[in-house]
Amino acid sequence: MEWWKEGILYQIYPKSFKDSTGNGVGDLPGIISQVDYLDYLGIDMVWLSPIFASPDFDNGYDISNYRKIKPEFGDMADFHTLMEELHRRDIRLILDMVVNHTSSQHKWFQKSRENSRGPFADFYHWETDKPNNWESFFGGPTWSFDEAREEYYLHLFHEEQPDLNWENPRVRQEVYEIMKFWLDKGVDGFRLDVINLLSKAEGYPEGEKKSSGYTDGSPYFVNGPKLTDYLKEMNQEVFKNYDMVKIGEVIGGEPQYYKSLIADTEKALDLLIHFDHVSLDQRKDKWTGKEFSLVSFKQVIEKWLRTLAPEGWNAFYLENHDQPRSVERFAKGGKYRERSAKMLATMLLTLPVTPFIYQGQEIGMTNLNFTDISEVVDVESRNFYNSFIENGGDPQEALELISTRGRDNGRSPMQWNSSRGAGFTSGTPWLKLNDNYQEVNVDQEKEKENSVLQYYRDLISFRKNNPALIRGYFMQSAADDEDIFAYWRKGKDRTFLVVLNFSNTIQVFLDDHYSKNLEFIMSNVMVKEDHASDKIPPLAPYEARIYSQH
Ligand code: ISL
């Protein structure tokens, strides 16, 4: 059964979820202590960002030992307990596999840099002369000189994250063994980090020059020449022998291309994490903004839904550990914070997708407010700050950009209660807490009627009881409307109309063709008693409504 299509996924960033020791860093026992909370929320799958040994140059996305739990997070016994506790509640466990690169401290790299002829010599991309001037994802060059081997090695991300050489069959076999190691323990799938970057074009051709002075190498490693061969082999050697979900994180590329990956008989991937809808408010890179346009947003959603379906299936997210919080990004904070969080939840949980909820989203957490660079931890944001200042930029402006666009916004500690440390830690948190934790936290949300958390729970259970919201036909209404996102979900037994006001003004929405026989189901603003007529009353700012049609 393709259980991942019916289920709802919850992403945990272990470092920021719950600290059980008081050292300021979240850990596995912390997650174990909150498994009942996950059950209460009603989700079906948990994706854990990397939990493996790592020197943390990129918060665990630089793995030094794939078979070892990061000691800060706990040990293998904790891992087993966590998996058992989740499984006992019918919650599946998905691990984050980072196999495009390792940590520079991984023993393969240590051996590879020592010797240009030994068995590990070709585990990474080594070149005597620097082949190109590609820019890394975190800024700066992708080739660094290694003093020991006296050659250059490739790293698309941080210099402590050397890219594995997938051309080498031994590398591939080693990775497959790691995957089997975890699947044999009973995990239910992987989220495959930047999986579409595995194959690099032969000769590493130079890219076009960018304003930074570096070049754009993406045509030579995004969906590279051998990617599909590697994925098919991975499927053949590993995936097809397990009941599991394969979620690929993919940068760039077109939905039509990905359809062939996920709808192919080889079925290498099941779900995708793409960036199209979270790139709409960016101009040339993530630091240069552009106004959010609802029409473009709707077009992107429609395009992916139409292209992948019916053979494939979409995942959808508004937040994760690389993205700022969604409330102010797609709607509005301040007095509209709760309403906006619920409106976005309504969209997420009524589209024909596997919804991904990121920790804290279900209580409407918001971005951080950085006032000094010393508070910023993320390598990408710190690199940005340095180059911005070097180029004569204003530090205050850089901090404002980091506070709205940087990755730390999604990584601030989970807000459990209003005590010091927000119930996340009894010590000093590794990254600063959001100032609003006394008003925005799980304990209060549990007690308060009509809270964001209660709304999430209601919608999750409503979705589960109404298959039309999962598999039903999706049809937009008023696709050109700049303020309203409205769509029908037509199932075998029921049809729903979802109307979302993305603006801060009152909006009239009429769908003449269908406005008859509508029964009010729920709204984040209005109660049923106030909804007297059988016409659709105007929508309040950021209101979301669900109707059922007879
Ligand atoms: O976050 C990004 C830009 O702001 C991306 O470039 C991000 O690095 C990219 O989406 C890949 O993400 C994944 O791989 C990275 C890791 O830093 C991210 O946390 C991870 O989600 C390298 O492993």
Side-chain angles (χ1 to χ4, degrees):
M1 214 219 17
E2 296 173 314
W3 43 265
W4 58 88
K5 292 188 179 173
E6 313 287 331
I8 295 167
L9 178 146
Y10 186 84
Q11 183 194 350
I12 291 180
Y13 197 63
K15 196 167 181 175
S16 304
F17 195 61
K18 176 89 181 156
D19 169 22
S20 71
T21 64
N23 68 351
V25 174
D27 48 44
L28 299 188
I31 303 175
I32 295 166
S33 72
Q34 296 299 340
V35 168
D36 278 331
Y37 170 70
L38 302 172
D39 195 30
Y40 160 88
L41 186 58
I43 52 91
D44 308 280
M45 311 169 235
V46 166
W47 148 29
L48 294 182
S49 278
I51 53 171
F52 316 105
S54 161
D56 255 9
F57 283 99
D58 187 21
N59 273 351
Y61 283 86
D62 48 327
I63 300 173
S64 54
N65 186 341
Y66 290 80
R67 291 181 172 84
K68 190 172 170 205
I69 303 293
K70 184 192 280 180
E72 238 179 1
F73 286 174
D75 58 21
M76 201 55 97
D78 297 321
F79 169 78
H80 281 281
T81 309
L82 174 59
M83 186 166 63
E84 279 157 26
E85 292 296 327
L86 289 169
H87 283 168
R88 188 175 312 161
R89 292 163 181 81
D90 286 327
I91 300 174
R92 312 233 185 196
L93 176 59
I94 294 158
L95 294 188
D96 212 318
M97 272 290 141
V98 187
V99 297
N100 174 70
H101 44 269
T102 68
S103 158
S104 57
Q105 293 181 20
H106 194 288
K107 66 171 193 264
W108 299 336
F109 191 72
Q110 295 299 327
K111 289 186 178 153
S112 196
R113 66 165 26 146
E114 270 164 22
N115 193 328
S116 56
R117 271 189 296 274
F120 293 93
D122 296 330
F123 263 51
Y124 297 85
H125 298 263
W126 291 103
E127 292 292 313
T128 324
D129 300 314
K130 193 174 159 212
N132 58 47
N133 203 21
W134 294 350
E135 181 166 39
S136 111
F137 280 95
F138 295 154
T142 54
W143 293 93
S144 288
F145 188 72
D146 182 65
E147 301 289 344
R149 186 156 154 167
E150 298 186 320
E151 283 186 315
Y152 289 90
Y153 67 92
L154 176 71
H155 55 90
L156 296 184
F157 294 89
H158 195 281
E159 64 184 51
E160 306 295 342
Q161 290 171 301
D163 280 50
L164 281 166
N165 175 16
W166 275 73
E167 291 273 341
N168 181 346
R170 284 199 50 217
V171 166
R172 307 206 294 272
Q173 281 309 321
E174 290 281 357
V175 169
Y176 303 154
E177 290 311 313
I178 291 166
M179 290 175 165
K180 287 189 242 174
F181 173 84
W182 289 102
L183 291 164
D184 289 338
K185 284 185 182 294
V187 308
D188 304 288
F190 297 131
R191 177 264 189 191
L192 299 150
D193 191 65
V194 293
I195 199 66
N196 71 323
L197 307 185
L198 298 186
S199 168
K200 280 81 180 174
E202 210 183 317
Y204 315 107
E206 185 60 286
E208 273 180 39
K209 198 156 178 192
K210 302 210 252 179
S211 56
S212 60
Y214 291 98
T215 66
D216 175 13
S218 63
Y220 308 109
F221 54 73
V222 166
N223 301 327
K226 296 202 178 139
L227 177 68
T228 52
D229 295 343
Y230 299 154
L231 288 175
K232 280 183 183 168
E233 185 183 85
M234 206 182 284
N235 188 49
Q236 204 58 32
E237 300 266 330
V238 188
F239 299 160
K240 80 173 199 338
N241 303 315
Y242 298 88
D243 173 23
M244 64 178 291
V245 64
K246 293 90 68 182
I247 308 171
E249 187 201 28
V250 293
I251 298 185
E254 284 298 314
Q256 197 56 45
Y257 171 84
Y258 293 113
K259 181 177 186 161
S260 71
L261 294 187
I262 67 166
D264 190 277
T265 45
E266 304 283 342
K267 281 261 178 218
L269 299 175
D270 300 309
L271 296 174
L272 301 174
I273 299 173
H274 69 75
F275 292 78
D276 280 4
H277 59 300
V278 291
S279 306
L280 290 170
D281 57 358
Q282 304 177 357
R283 206 187 308 272
K284 61 180 184 11
D285 62 25
K286 73 178 279 172
W287 304 107
T288 42
K290 145 165 122 202
E291 194 140 348
F292 172 75
S293 144
L294 181 65
V295 173
S296 315
F297 187 72
K298 294 192 289 189
Q299 280 165 355
V300 166
I301 292 175
E302 173 108 29
K303 173 166 142 189
W304 280 87
L305 292 180
R306 294 271 172 255
T307 311
L308 297 194
E311 299 90 338
W313 185 253
N314 282 269
F316 193 67
Y317 69 93
L318 292 168
E319 296 186 7
N320 63 38
H321 66 289
D322 291 333
Q323 300 292 330
R325 292 290 180 177
S326 58
V327 169
E328 285 150 321
R329 183 177 193 184
F330 301 110
K332 206 171 184 71
K335 69 174 180 169
Y336 287 130
R337 182 188 64 82
E338 292 180 75
R339 199 187 281 190
S340 295
K342 293 175 189 173
M343 188 272 284
L344 295 171
T346 314
M347 170 176 66
L348 182 64
L349 292 161
T350 58
L351 286 173
V353 298
T354 299
F356 282 26
I357 301 169
Y358 178 64
Q359 67 181 47
Q361 186 178 344
E362 76 279 19
I363 56 170
M365 277 176 64
T366 56
N367 286 341
L368 289 174
N369 180 19
F370 291 106
T371 53
D372 193 282
I373 188 64
S374 63
E375 297 172 332
V376 178
V377 178
D378 176 33
V379 49
E380 184 188 58
S381 294
R382 297 188 66 94
N383 287 350
F384 160 72
Y385 183 87
N386 292 337
S387 71
F388 195 82
I389 305 303
E390 265 167 35
N391 293 317
D394 167 26
Q396 196 50 40
E397 194 186 334
L399 288 171
E400 277 162 26
L401 285 168
I402 292 172
S403 304
T404 45
R405 303 184 155 261
R407 304 197 298 180
D408 281 340
N409 290 301
R411 301 177 180 182
S412 71
M414 182 71 183
Q415 294 161 205
W416 294 102
N417 60 42
S418 52
S419 71
R420 209 186 132 263
F424 164 70
T425 183
S426 57
T428 309
W430 71 275
L431 173 64
K432 76 173 192 168
L433 282 164
N434 195 309
D435 300 333
N436 66 10
Y437 74 88
Q438 283 171 339
E439 301 98 68
V440 182
N441 63 62
V442 170
D443 272 7
Q444 285 194 25
E445 293 279 302
K446 273 185 173 170
E447 269 159 41
K448 201 163 83 182
E449 250 184 274
N450 299 322
S451 66
V452 177
L453 180 62
Q454 300 299 355
Y455 192 85
Y456 261 92
R457 290 182 70 221
D458 290 348
L459 257 178
I460 288 173
S461 95
F462 188 72
R463 178 181 172 93
K464 289 203 170 138
N465 292 320
N466 289 285
L469 288 178
I470 304 172
R471 304 257 189 175
Y473 185 72
F474 168 89
M475 193 177 69
Q476 266 204 74
S477 176
D480 298 335
D481 195 304
E482 284 166 12
D483 300 303
I484 298 265
F485 187 13
Y487 46 90
W488 294 87
R489 300 301 317 280
K490 198 169 169 39
K492 283 202 188 83
D493 44 359
R494 284 189 92 170
T495 296
F496 293 100
L497 171 65
V498 179
V499 190
L500 311 165
N501 182 359
F502 271 76
S503 81
N504 64 358
T505 53
I506 293 171
Q507 295 289 331
V508 175
F509 173 79
L510 287 177
D511 187 319
D512 290 342
H513 191 51
Y514 289 102
S515 295
K516 302 239 157 38
N517 305 324
L518 289 179
E519 183 198 340
F520 173 91
I521 303 276
M522 64 199 306
S523 155
N524 58 347
V525 175
M526 183 177 248
V527 290
K528 193 166 189 158
E529 292 66 44
D530 294 339
H531 197 288
S533 73
D534 63 350
K535 279 212 205 82
I536 301 182
L539 287 102
Y542 305 105
E543 182 169 3
R545 273 193 224 141
I546 303 179
Y547 293 93
S548 155
Q549 190 187 36
H550 303 296

